[in-house]
Amino acid sequence: TNVTGLSFRLDELVAKQFELLVEISPKMARVAFFNFVARPGDTGESTAALLDQSARKAASNKGLKLVIVAANDVAGARTAFERLQRERVQGLVVASSGPTMHIRDEIVAGARRLRLPSISGLPAEFAETGGLATYGPNFLQSYRYAAKYVDLILKGAKPAEIPVEQMATFELVINLKTAKELGLTIPKTVLFRADRVIE
């Protein structure tokens, strides 16, 4: 009754990331989804399950075989990548979450070690540290936008009367250095849609 703010659909975001990854590397047949580990009974449990379900649906729609791994720490990430190496996956989609953000450097290192094209909904730092691409909300802009809510509330508005808004600004960042390292040519159709290209 007293909640307002910005929201976005994680499940729709995952589907779009799979779509972009296939557009970038259309020959892949086996893709991994890197999720976070939720504690049983924790509020994140339903989110993790929704993300897994979204990944299964997106992979199925693209005719891809899917491998799901999850980790919240560096040791778990290393174990996950050992499995991905055994499974011979050809691409990686990384869930947008606090735990995956915390270990993004290890995820990026693992993807580069296995030469996996990777995409995530994490902030642009994922691509800046060597991930192939990010597609997701512009978090910096959302933080600035949140100031509007704070201003309204401090001026006396009731949070329950301010509608929750869907985020409308999404950002696609492509790392061409990583693409070159992987021997990938990013299609012009993707580059033209990119908000930022790292060269």
Side-chain angles (χ1 to χ4, degrees):
T1 58
N2 290 302
V3 174
T4 190
L6 293 165
S7 175
F8 63 94
R9 293 283 305 271
L10 283 170
D11 53 339
E12 293 177 357
L13 191 60
V14 168
K16 185 65 177 176
Q17 290 159 358
F18 272 85
E19 183 182 309
L20 281 165
L21 190 62
V22 170
E23 193 174 349
I24 290 169
S25 186
K27 293 182 180 178
M28 65 175 60
R30 296 176 70 83
V31 177
F33 181 64
F34 196 115
N35 206 349
F36 69 98
V37 180
R39 296 187 183 102
D42 186 46
T43 53
E45 191 174 20
S46 61
T47 301
L50 175 66
L51 291 172
D52 281 351
Q53 180 184 353
S54 301
R56 287 189 187 98
K57 183 177 178 182
S60 176
N61 287 344
K62 293 293 180 184
L64 300 168
K65 292 184 179 178
L66 181 68
V67 177
I68 296 178
V69 293
N72 289 359
D73 55 32
V74 169
R78 289 176 181 164
T79 300
F81 277 102
E82 287 171 5
R83 180 183 170 199
L84 298 186
Q85 186 171 22
R86 290 193 304 271
E87 297 276 359
R88 297 183 180 182
V89 298
Q90 299 160 301
L92 178 67
V93 176
V94 181
S96 178
S97 72
T100 52
M101 179 65 179
H102 180 68
I103 58 171
R104 71 180 181 277
D105 290 350
E106 187 63 32
I107 294 172
V108 167
R112 291 176 79 174
R113 190 170 57 251
L114 299 185
R115 299 184 56 77
L116 299 177
S118 58
I119 187 168
S120 177
L122 293 170
E125 289 94 332
F126 181 81
E128 290 166 359
T129 56
L132 179 63
T134 61
Y135 178 77
N138 184 323
F139 287 100
L140 185 59
Q141 188 169 343
S142 73
Y143 300 150
R144 291 175 181 150
Y145 195 78
K148 179 186 88 168
Y149 290 92
V150 175
D151 181 59
L152 289 169
I153 292 167
L154 290 177
K155 288 178 178 173
K158 295 179 181 177
E161 294 174 1
I162 306 171
V164 173
E165 294 185 36
Q166 287 278 350
M167 291 182 68
T169 304
F170 290 82
E171 183 178 47
L172 173 60
V173 181
I174 303 288
N175 188 324
L176 286 183
K177 290 180 183 176
T178 301
K180 186 177 180 180
E181 185 180 298
L182 295 171
L184 283 174
T185 300
I186 305 296
K188 289 182 180 178
T189 53
V190 175
L191 285 176
F192 288 151
R193 299 200 308 271
D195 299 279
R196 185 152 65 95
V197 173
I198 300 169
E199 299 190 65

